[in-house]
Amino acid sequence: MQLPEIMLAVLWIGMTAYVLFGGADFGAGVWDLLAGGARRGRDQRELVEHSIGPVWEANHVWLIFVIVLTWTGIPSVFAAIASTLYIPLTAVALGIIARGAAFAFRKVSRELWRQRLFGATFAFSSLVTPFFLGTVAGAIASGRVPPGIAAGDLVTSWVNPTSLISGVLAVGTAAYLAAVYLTRDAQRVGDEALTQAFRLRALYTGVFVGVMSAVGLFVLRADARPVFDDLTSGAALPLLVLSVAAGVVSLALLAWGRSYLMVRLTAALAVTGLLWGWGIGQHPVLLPGITLDEAAATDAVLGASLGALAVGAVLLLPSLWWLYATFQRDRTGEHGEPTPRS
Amino acid sequence: MPSFTDAAFGEPDLGAARMQMALSLGWHIILACLGVGMPAITLIAEWRGHRTGDLNYRLLARRWARAMGVLFAVGAVSGTILSFEMGLLWPGLMGTYGEVIGLPFSLEGIAFFIEAIFLGIYLYAWDRLPPVPHMLSGLPIVVAGVASAFFVVTANAWMQQPTGFDTENGRIVSVDPWAAMFNPATPPQTVHMILAAFMVAGFLMAGVYAVAMLRGRRDRYHRLGFLIPFTVAAIITPVQIGVGDWAAHFVAENQPVKLAAMEGVFHTERGAPLHLGGFAIGGELRYALEIPNGLSLLAHWSPDAEIVGLENVPEADRPPVNITHWAFQIMVGIGFGLLALCAWLALTWKRHRDLPRSPWFLRACALSGVGAVLALEAGWTVTEVGRQPWIVYGIMRTSEAVNPAPGLIWGFVLVALVYAVLTVATVYVLRRLARDEPVPVAPQERDVTDYKVI
């Protein structure tokens, strides 16, 4: 592999981590939104809060990695995407502010009305932000972002069938992952009612995401033929198959099994398969008429950045492990609080 | 639709883009400074608490940690917005030079990641880790915070002194990312900024307790809450004045046009006077107090040194003089004011082992935080406005970098609204936090009820 390929792979790993971890945090916000009234939804909201509290900031950093790597590794592509898609990306930016701040504010709030206000802000932006991120992915996948600064249509580039289905899929995926993770958390805490509640949610959203993915394939076929062709016949097909298989296994485990830890793995695998299938399907064309090699930064830049990331990983991985290990230990607070998930 | 090559010149929107960037950066920079300075000050309190067993220290550490959690969350998202805005507002810059300044941002990403990880551990694991490991888990936050500031500022320094790349026909052909990162402006700018962060955090935190003491709460808890951050800031302030002088010399040598704008010098002259106050009107600085030969002496250590005036560059290449000049004077003026305040405390302490008795001392201290923030913003204004009309000094104009898409003004309006709400909510939450009793950092912390709340 050449340096640009390695860089793109690293970027995609960052993207996958963001979808799996940051995405699940968004999904937890969606469940927070749907938890019901203050009294009825209290247990669910507490589980959500304890689960993402210690880790959401770390999970959020993956997004910054993706952005920085994009402008470092493929600067002209970054400029084209950011300038053409500045409307949904501004929405994403505002959503991220509202969500992160409101979550922190709610955590330190005492009165109900403040918790409600901040909670609603947190939960609503958790729903909106992944949707807009999804439309951005759809815009790129369907070839609607041409190279050049603000060269694409500012509206139809992200308001189109592929973008909209991608937005819905992003929200669904986030909610699904969150439900799966939270099921296991509730189980570890030993709260049977909550476990069942989230198990059912995981099942519903799993089916929903599956159906939506199938619909998405048809939309792609009509709207973004090259990606569809690659996904269904090219190098990406095995990944698509893997994704579908892992998804089906997840649903079966949720329906009949008790091994919710295992579902975390298969669910993550299903999402990862989809993401990498898209990546491989589109490779090596990044934007219409622009391939990776044409857009990639010079080798000196790629080498230095990748080297720095490799050294950084030596520091990061043990730290991340410590973070997750600290809060994944089976330990219940004196008052029966659940322990946070990773 | 403009193509890549003639992408430019959405002149009507340049103002909106610059205002949006100024607002988001000016907002984030305060949070970033607290993110760099607060962990160190909090750790000092925790360490003292561990050594002495004094509950006051431990309670302070917990309160500060709790505020830190909120501020870090807000700072993290406002920082993320900036990385979006680099592309949304300045695609011309990022499309061409993104790779040149990418390395420090990648490194900053790693540092920020480490900060976020250990902050999660530090804030949530008070009761899960023994005291010493818990304190140690705070150290990476301090180191990573300082490193983050360093990396980010190197990128700005590069915009002042672009080095480390070659272009052919407007395309980057070779890059030395390390040379770009360690450009000539890096040392003075990064040191100046990191020290400023500690000053802002120290004075702001001390200011809160100065207000409480003015209201009559003069117990040990409030005295310590004042003294720990104030001492940190007081040690750094004189150093900062020296570093500021170094930074100004650097500008004098390398960005003479910026120096001319900072000092309101229109005509090249030897033995230039130092201007205090004054307004640039019609090509000259009026109503200023002049100190003969002062500028030549300060900028080049020689009373007869030549100072290049703004007349040397075409009008289109000059930064706005009044803004730059006044921002610089405000920064320097406040800097010396803070120095005087620190000296006041130091002298009184030497004689009486106590704070100055005068209520004016506490009143001044109460304002010192706001002053430090003003100085910080003024300093950034000098750096950024003084570089105009260039986004990359001497190479790319800000107008060439801006996103030519229509409607940027609406983005600015939205962002301004969101920041207004965010400001109100943050201040409100912090004020409530300060009054909250008791002070658990996280819901897990049940042992906090053992603390006597003061």
Side-chain angles (χ1 to χ4, degrees), chain A residues 57-58 60 65 71-72 75 79 82 86 93 96-97 105 107 110-111 114 148-149 154 297-298 300 319 326-327 337 339, chain B residues 4 66 72 77 80-81 87-88 91 94 98-99 102 105 110 113 117 121 124 128 175 404 406-407 426 428 432 446:
Chain A
E57 309 235 43
H60 167 79
F65 260 115
W71 87 47
T72 309
Y86 91 88
I96 284 173
I97 288 197
F105 292 162
K107 197 161 56 192
R110 302 278 157 149
E111 297 98 327
R114 281 201 290 158
I149 291 177
L154 293 179
T298 55
S319 311
T326 305
F327 299 107
E337 292 91 354
T339 42
Chain B
F4 198 94
R66 202 157 175 237
F72 188 85
V77 291
T80 308
I81 300 326
L88 301 179
M94 302 314 287
E99 62 178 296
F105 284 107
I110 295 166
F113 214 144
I117 291 169
I121 295 171
Y124 282 84
R128 288 174 175 239
V175 184
T426 307
Y428 178 74
R432 295 303 302 241
R446 294 306 163 182

Side-chain angles (χ1 to χ4, degrees), chain B residues 246-297:
Chain B
W246 173 33
H249 277 277
F250 180 86
V251 171
E253 293 297 329
N254 297 285
Q255 291 180 295
V257 180
K258 186 191 274 188
L259 182 82
M262 279 155 64
E263 300 287 357
V265 180
F266 281 89
H267 309 290
T268 304
E269 60 181 315
R270 295 195 160 273
L274 188 68
H275 293 129
L276 297 181
F279 294 92
I281 302 166
E284 58 181 320
L285 197 72
R286 295 195 189 166
Y287 314 118
L289 182 68
E290 292 193 359
I291 300 175
N293 301 65
L295 180 56
S296 293
L297 192 64

